[in-house]
Amino acid sequence: TLRRPAFSEATCARRAPGARRHAWERVARRTLYAKVAVLAMLLLVGAGLYVRLSSGPISMKWLGGRMAAALAEQIGPDWAVTVQRSALLLKDGSLGFRATELEIRNPERALVLRAPYAVLTVDTLPLLAASINPRSIELQDLQLRASVNPDGSLSFLPATEAGPERTGALAEAAE
């Protein structure tokens, strides 16, 4: 008597797609595990950074240039912003940058604003794409003087470059 083989062509054809699907499921499962591991590592690093920042700011010298460039871009074309020292910190639970000796100069390079201490808070989500988007800036010990021009516009000068303050009758007589 002739024996039939254990696997006929029809049986092999039915098992082959299942075997391929099983291999695809293994690959998908492994990549899922890798993605979960990477996500867990990112969460651990983020939590560690948050805990470290809650104890105090982290000094970062390279950060000052990027922060100054982002702030100058927000102010307008050809404006210059310089920062002597910078640090990463938590300000009211959100990420921020601390700057010391902040100076802002207009397109003619005249000093417009000088602040010995400034805190710049940023949007956190764009930081994932390495983009600094300033949300607010807090200036302390600000050195600035404002005056009203004859056309009604405001002019700003730092207190160190402005002349003697004129108020009341003296200011009206000078006009």
Side-chain angles (χ1 to χ4, degrees):
T1 68
L2 278 173
R3 281 179 111 191
R4 265 174 71 183
F7 298 105
S8 66
E9 287 182 25
T11 305
C12 287
R14 277 184 279 161
R15 289 188 184 185
R20 275 190 240 130
R21 187 171 1 134
H22 185 65
W24 174 250
E25 287 174 358
R26 276 186 289 158
V27 170
R29 191 175 304 122
R30 287 181 186 162
T31 58
L32 177 65
Y33 291 150
K35 290 176 184 178
V36 168
V38 168
L39 181 63
M41 290 296 288
L42 288 174
L43 287 175
L44 283 174
V45 168
L49 181 64
Y50 187 84
V51 168
R52 171 57 183 92
L53 286 173
S54 65
S55 67
I58 300 173
S59 179
M60 297 184 170
K61 293 180 182 181
W62 58 269
L63 192 60
R66 292 197 57 148
M67 182 176 64
L71 192 55
E73 183 180 316
Q74 291 288 323
I75 294 172
D78 298 327
W79 283 69
V81 177
T82 57
V83 173
Q84 295 299 321
R85 290 179 302 279
S86 61
L88 189 63
L89 59 84
L90 282 179
K91 178 73 172 168
D92 300 326
S94 64
L95 196 59
F97 302 106
R98 181 180 68 193
T100 55
E101 301 302 323
L102 174 73
E103 291 183 351
I104 299 177
R105 295 183 182 272
N106 66 10
E108 291 82 33
R109 299 298 178 235
L111 185 64
V112 174
L113 180 135
R114 179 180 290 141
Y117 182 82
V119 175
L120 177 75
T121 57
V122 296
D123 292 326
T124 309
L125 197 56
L127 283 177
L128 297 175
S131 173
I132 299 176
N133 291 343
R135 185 173 60 205
S136 69
I137 186 165
E138 177 183 321
L139 304 168
Q140 295 179 353
D141 300 329
L142 181 63
Q143 300 169 5
L144 178 72
R145 176 174 291 162
S147 64
V148 179
N149 295 326
D151 64 353
S153 64
L154 288 175
S155 293
F156 297 100
L157 289 175
T160 57
E161 289 187 7
E165 183 177 346
R166 297 181 295 189
T167 59
L170 291 174
E172 291 172 9
E175 293 177 358

